[in-house]
Amino acid sequence: LKRAFLIGKGISNSLSPIIQNAAFRKMGIDATYELEDLNRRSLKSFISSLKLTDTIGFNVTSPFKEEIMRYLTTIDSRSENIGAVNTVKISNGGRMAGLNTDYDGIVSTLRTLGSLRGSAKQRKAIILGAGGAARASVYVLLKNGYSKLTIMNRTVAKAKELSNQFESSFHNSNINVVPLTKTEFVKSVQDSGLIINAISGSNSKFYPLKLDFSGAATETAIFDLGYKEDSLFLKTARKNGLKTVNGLLMLVTQAAKSFEIWTGRKAPFKLMMSTAKRETRCSV
Ligand SMILES: NC(=O)c1ccc[n+]([C@@H]2O[C@H](COP(=O)([O-])OP(=O)(O)OC[C@H]3O[C@@H](n4cnc5c(N)ncnc54)[C@H](OP(=O)(O)O)[C@@H]3O)[C@@H](O)[C@H]2O)c1
């Protein structure tokens, strides 16, 4: 029996075990996927206690996506550029390779929104948040032809650090950083083609920003990375007639890519998606 995990803090509601275990069963792979809810300080001891012969790999979520990079044998260039790893493959001899499949999840979601087509990329994109998921989103956008971005975050210094890092690796980029306020939101929305919400807790009615999409052009696309239920963010955007998508496709795409990395087999994507949809109260 082989094992895979998700490591993170406060992950008891994660859908990943249900999705991955369904995939293992469907493909006749003798493996299980379990949750490892860790304290901030227990990452190192967890890594050294791993039974490397049993474990095929693991996923990593908040708050360990950056810290995990210290313990890995190799890190691919995509993860290096993003500054975060969400998938680790363990191969014979205990080599640990770090990869980032959130990238794939974001790309496939932006494709369904039509946001990776030529004309869409000419417009500005807004990213709300400056954590790991925002970082991956910024990288996807710059790598796929966007050059004008606005990052809005509660902690402006964190967004500034992110923008400086990416502006120095993407020379033609222009990344504006503004505080997370209604005034700034209303101003930025007017000339943007895409808004990505990577603030945690976007399902809450206590969403930290008073939302006003009324100035957005009708073709503006909205992507909320949350997936547990229909968020206030998406509901408000839809009321303004905007095209919206939640984070379910991203979740399932990153899970399917991780499965393929660990097993070398094609993931049963449809089954993984229908399993995930059954467990949530919203659809893509
Ligand atoms: N669909 C998927 O597959 C997928 C994958 C990854 C992540 N996600 C989702 O994306 C979201 C972000 O994840 P992450 O890994 O980037 O988390 P993270 O690194 O912890 O970043 C959290 C972000 O949310 C902001 N934030 C949190 N609480 C806030 C509040 N009360 N008011 C204002 N801002 C607040 C933080 O601002 P500060 O910098 O000011 O603290 C930061 O920008 C989560 O909801 C996560 O579930 C979805």
Side-chain angles (χ1 to χ4, degrees), residues 180-229:
L180 185 70
T181 64
K182 182 180 173 191
T183 316
E184 292 295 348
F185 186 75
V186 169
K187 224 193 300 172
S188 297
V189 153
Q190 287 169 11
D191 59 342
S192 63
L194 170 69
I195 305 173
I196 299 181
N197 182 22
I199 288 178
S200 36
S202 61
N203 291 329
S204 155
K205 61 181 176 195
F206 304 111
Y207 191 72
L209 175 64
K210 266 236 158 297
L211 295 163
D212 181 352
F213 290 93
S214 58
T218 46
E219 65 272 20
T220 303
I222 315 291
F223 172 22
D224 188 333
L225 272 67
Y227 51 81
K228 282 276 156 70
E229 55 197 2

Side-chain angles (χ1 to χ4, degrees), residues 61-62 65-66 102 129-134 153-155 158 180 197-202 208 225-227 247-248 250-252 254:
T61 191
S62 184
K65 284 184 179 179
E66 292 92 30
D102 283 339
N153 199 42
R154 173 179 62 181
T155 312
K158 201 159 126 197
L180 185 70
N197 182 22
I199 288 178
S200 36
S202 61
L225 272 67
Y227 51 81
L248 201 62
M250 175 178 171
L251 177 80
V252 177
Q254 64 79 25

